[in-house]
Amino acid sequence: MSNHLSIIRTGSALGMAALLSGCGLTGLTEGSGHVTLRLVAADYGDSDANSSKKYWGELVDAYEKDHPDVTVDVSVYSWNDVDAKVKAMVDAGSPPDMAQIGAYSDYAAADQLYKADELLSVTVQADFVRQLAEAGKVRSIQYGMPFASSTRLLFYNKTLFAEAGLTPPTTWAELAQDARVLKDKGVKYPYALPLGPEEAQAEAMQWLLSGGGGYTPQTLSSYSIDSPENIDTFGWLKDKLVDKGLTGPVAPGKLNRAAAFAAFTAGEVGMLNGHPSLMKAAQQKGVKFGMVPMPGRSEPGKIAMGVADWMMAFRKNGHAKQIGDFLDFVYSDENVLDFSREYDLLPATASASQVMSTTKEDADLKPFLEELPLSETYPVGRTSWAQVSALIKKQIGQAVAPGGDPATVLGDLQTAAGKADIAAGD
């Protein structure tokens, strides 16, 4: 690993100061025609041993070996900090050449990003999973390049189910019946419903999709948070699960995803929605679990929730040719598979997905891969989504609180979303 990369990717305050004070320094020649590219990336690891710094370091070393005229400086930050770091750099007039973060649409709406087809080869751009490529578009133009993805399945504790004589549910009614039996058996969280501020928008969306609704109509022309389907879904959750005491001792509006996952790995949860990383955590704790598609009203859900993180490239510094060539390398099957396998994530490309769906070492991820073509992502192409998502995280748990009214809460969210939409010009 090059010394220069090792220093940059520490993410220290000194390194950040150097980046912010470096306006106009990107691309300084280290010889005739030499170009330096800056990439800011999120850290998917949970320790120094598996930090994304290692992945990017090895990838950049391999690329620079065959491209001596290009240096790629990578700074890796935690998910708690990386979006704010990029925003600070952009606000300071010194955006990175590339950023791998959680949202892209506000930068695209401000005309600060390259279009994907200005950078990538036709082969690479065409290889993105279709749903993810569509989610990367603002006003029908792709700016966001999906980097990693995930879907959700219903996890259930096999030991608790066996002791209670249960089979995994396929419908909402069966889920409620199973939860009742688990509660009678003394299970702490028969169904864990994390609608707390950490990631309420994810749990809510999974339920809305299974109820035939969602955050936006198929036309994507507006938000539809208070649609009749959505109100019915939250009414069912409140009446059939929460009010009957089947969601555990912590109020759903105060239960965060991390706490729900921790309770599952401690053997205290009968059922909850989870993504691939929960598999490893549960296995490490010795919890025997199964996974099935999210139940629907009268049959298994037909649409799963998909999530993607994004790569984007800023126009200000130029270097479109060099950025495109580097990203073509980033999206090669070898590199995409290495990243996906390291962090139990789904590939953003169809070719890597095909490889993972047929190899024994990736068998654990196959159920999630099967859900990906059936998935729907957040409406990340709407520049108002970041604001609307924040409102959902803060307020939607109130819809199932004692005395709460789903129609009122969802109606208030719809009104706020409409105002955010108009302000953003979506």
Side-chain angles (χ1 to χ4, degrees):
M1 188 178 299
S2 63
N3 292 331
H4 190 51
L5 181 67
S6 298
I7 294 171
I8 291 295
R9 61 186 182 82
T10 60
S12 66
L14 179 61
M16 185 60 186
L19 289 174
L20 291 177
S21 65
C23 185
L25 296 181
T26 297
L28 280 178
T29 58
E30 299 176 14
S32 178
H34 192 99
V35 169
T36 297
L37 302 176
R38 289 185 295 161
L39 166 64
V40 175
D43 195 346
Y44 289 79
D46 55 14
S47 67
D48 288 341
N50 71 343
S51 170
S52 297
K53 297 173 184 179
K54 179 181 178 182
Y55 170 81
W56 285 112
E58 293 175 352
L59 184 149
V60 166
D61 279 350
Y63 182 78
E64 290 180 346
K65 184 179 296 184
D66 293 330
H67 299 81
D69 57 338
V70 177
T71 296
V72 183
D73 288 344
V74 184
S75 298
V76 175
Y77 297 101
S78 76
W79 274 109
N80 293 329
D81 301 323
V82 67
D83 289 296
K85 295 290 187 184
V86 172
K87 185 179 186 301
M89 295 169 75
V90 173
D91 291 347
S94 181
D97 296 282
M98 295 163 285
Q100 186 273 298
I101 53 178
Y104 69 89
S105 60
D106 49 347
Y107 299 120
D111 197 29
Q112 295 173 315
L113 302 181
Y114 282 113
K115 302 172 185 176
D117 61 12
E118 294 177 300
L119 302 169
L120 302 174
S121 66
V122 172
T123 303
V124 169
Q125 189 176 3
D127 194 31
F128 289 129
V129 174
R130 181 184 60 80
Q131 288 90 338
L132 303 182
E134 288 296 316
K137 294 180 179 180
V138 173
R139 300 181 181 94
S140 301
I141 297 174
Q142 186 178 359
Y143 296 93
M145 293 163 277
F147 182 74
S149 66
S150 176
T151 55
R152 301 291 171 101
L153 291 170
L154 182 74
F155 282 66
Y156 65 96
N157 185 307
K158 283 188 172 182
T159 301
L160 296 178
F161 266 62
E163 291 173 350
L166 299 174
T167 57
T170 61
T171 66
W172 289 2
E174 291 175 1
L175 186 149
Q177 291 167 4
D178 288 351
R180 166 56 63 187
V181 174
L182 291 168
K183 178 180 173 62
D184 291 344
K185 291 286 186 178
V187 175
K188 188 173 183 179
Y189 293 89
Y191 177 84
L193 182 66
L195 294 175
E198 178 191 3
E199 203 183 37
Q201 84 286 0
E203 180 72 13
M205 182 172 173
Q206 184 64 76
W207 276 99
L208 296 181
L209 290 173
S210 72
Y215 290 133
T216 57
Q218 292 301 311
T219 60
L220 292 179
S221 60
S222 62
Y223 288 97
S224 56
I225 297 173
D226 65 345
S227 69
E229 295 86 355
N230 292 349
I231 292 172
D232 285 349
T233 294
F234 266 81
W236 187 91
L237 281 172
K238 185 177 189 314
D239 294 342
K240 303 300 184 181
L241 290 185
V242 181
D243 287 354
K244 293 186 183 301
L246 303 181
T247 55
V250 180
K254 296 182 178 180
L255 181 64
N256 282 325
R257 177 190 57 81
F261 279 19
F264 186 82
T265 62
E268 299 175 338
V269 174
M271 299 171 280
L272 86 170
N273 283 313
H275 50 62
S277 68
L278 182 57
M279 294 190 301
K280 183 180 292 186
Q283 289 165 351
Q284 290 173 343
K285 294 288 188 176
V287 174
K288 295 180 179 179
F289 61 90
M291 303 176 296
V292 294
M294 176 68 182
R297 287 184 182 275
S298 58
E299 59 184 350
K302 296 183 182 301
I303 303 176
M305 190 193 75
V307 178
D309 299 323
W310 303 95
M311 179 71 75
M312 64 210 71
F314 289 86
R315 289 181 174 277
K316 182 167 184 179
N317 302 316
H319 310 315
K321 182 180 184 302
Q322 291 84 358
I323 292 171
D325 187 72
F326 175 68
L327 290 179
D328 277 355
F329 180 72
V330 168
Y331 284 106
S332 67
D333 279 356
E334 179 182 0
N335 290 323
V336 171
L337 289 168
D338 283 349
F339 186 87
S340 300
R341 287 165 174 163
E342 176 66 28
Y343 299 109
D344 289 324
L345 292 167
L346 307 184
T349 62
S351 57
S353 296
Q354 177 62 29
V355 171
M356 291 189 80
S357 68
T358 58
T359 54
K360 182 177 293 187
E361 67 178 296
D362 302 312
D364 285 350
L365 288 173
K366 190 173 181 179
F368 295 94
L369 284 165
E370 291 172 346
E371 292 289 298
L372 190 57
L374 309 173
S375 67
E376 182 175 318
T377 65
Y378 300 129
V380 290
R382 308 189 70 79
T383 54
S384 58
W385 171 244
Q387 182 179 350
V388 173
S389 176
L391 290 170
I392 292 170
K393 290 179 184 180
K394 183 178 180 181
Q395 298 178 22
I396 205 162
Q398 298 171 14
V400 297
D405 176 45
T408 299
V409 173
L410 297 183
D412 290 345
L413 283 168
Q414 175 66 26
T415 299
K419 292 178 179 178
D421 226 17
I422 292 171
D426 284 336

